Amino acid sequence: MDVAVLVLDIQKGFISDNARMPVAKHQIKPMLEKINKIVEKADSRGVPVVYIGNEYEPTQFIANFLTKKSAIKGSEGAELDERLLRVNEVYFSKNKSNALSNSNLVSYLTANKMNHIVIVGLFAEACVAATALDSIRRNFNVTIVRDAVGSSNDSKREKSLRYLNSKGIDIIDASQLIESFFN
């Protein structure tokens, strides 16, 4: 199969009760439920699931300032949240918004002939957008799952999804994804 699910930044620094840079509280539970369902369905159908997390070096002062020191490498905030369903150990760290800034991830996708990326996770207007836009520049097909991405508020999430859709990126709901890709 040429599809991979990228799970972006479901980390304690963003969704735990004491997150330094929190996602809107009302978005967390439904988002996690959708992501976990997608991960479970993808895994049951042999679709690769790739976990990605922010790990900013302590010397990345601007990134750490902008993210309120939420995901410093080695910190609790950089850890994947325990509520996230883990079906494998395929994990790539990043220290920029764009997940494809990690050349090992790009090599993994290319070596496994994955040309369609399904993106879930955080933040719609930041890492999700940066990864999606670079993915289409690199000639990947990209789908973002609307109800499996989060942001600090609903307005930012919806504005970002509208913008990404205007750039040719498919925006679908989790139920549509499961029906289209995993049945």
Side-chain angles (χ1 to χ4, degrees):
M1 183 163 286
D2 64 350
V3 177
V5 176
L6 301 187
V7 181
L8 299 182
D9 308 335
I10 302 300
Q11 296 167 271
K12 293 178 181 178
F14 307 122
I15 65 169
S16 71
D17 288 337
N18 55 356
R20 290 178 175 258
M21 188 175 157
V23 170
K25 292 286 186 205
H26 70 277
Q27 291 180 10
I28 296 171
K29 185 178 179 196
M31 177 191 69
L32 275 172
E33 288 171 354
K34 300 293 190 214
I35 291 172
N36 286 341
K37 187 171 199 153
I38 290 165
V39 166
E40 180 182 15
K41 283 288 192 182
D43 186 56
S44 74
R45 298 291 190 259
V47 174
V49 176
V50 180
Y51 300 93
I52 298 161
N54 286 310
E55 292 185 16
Y56 297 111
E57 296 293 336
T59 55
Q60 288 184 267
F61 302 114
I62 293 171
N64 286 318
F65 173 77
L66 293 173
T67 60
K68 302 176 184 171
K69 298 182 180 180
S70 58
I72 296 174
K73 188 174 185 171
S75 72
E76 183 179 355
E79 295 173 9
L80 293 178
D81 191 89
E82 61 277 350
R83 296 169 289 178
L84 176 63
L85 176 62
R86 296 289 303 270
V87 294
N88 63 45
E89 295 302 317
V90 180
Y91 174 83
F92 293 93
S93 65
K94 62 185 176 69
N95 61 12
K96 295 185 173 99
S97 293
N98 176 9
L100 300 183
S101 65
N102 183 328
S103 61
N104 293 327
L105 171 60
V106 176
S107 295
Y108 173 84
L109 296 170
T110 304
N112 289 289
K113 297 178 175 37
M114 297 171 200
N115 63 15
H116 192 139
I117 296 171
V118 174
I119 299 175
V120 300
L122 303 173
F123 278 81
E125 71 281 5
C127 298
V128 169
T131 301
L133 292 170
D134 193 37
S135 295
I136 59 172
R137 280 192 288 274
R138 294 173 186 255
N139 295 313
F140 287 99
N141 293 316
V142 182
T143 301
I144 296 174
V145 185
R146 172 190 320 279
D147 49 355
V149 297
S151 183
S152 58
N153 66 58
D154 294 343
S155 176
K156 280 184 181 179
R157 179 174 64 184
E158 292 310 312
K159 183 178 178 183
S160 178
L161 293 174
R162 280 192 305 275
Y163 173 75
L164 292 167
N165 189 240
S166 78
K167 295 298 182 185
I169 296 168
D170 290 330
I171 311 293
I172 64 175
D173 292 326
S175 59
Q176 293 171 290
L177 176 76
I178 290 166
E179 188 176 297
S180 302
F181 286 77
F182 306 138
N183 277 333

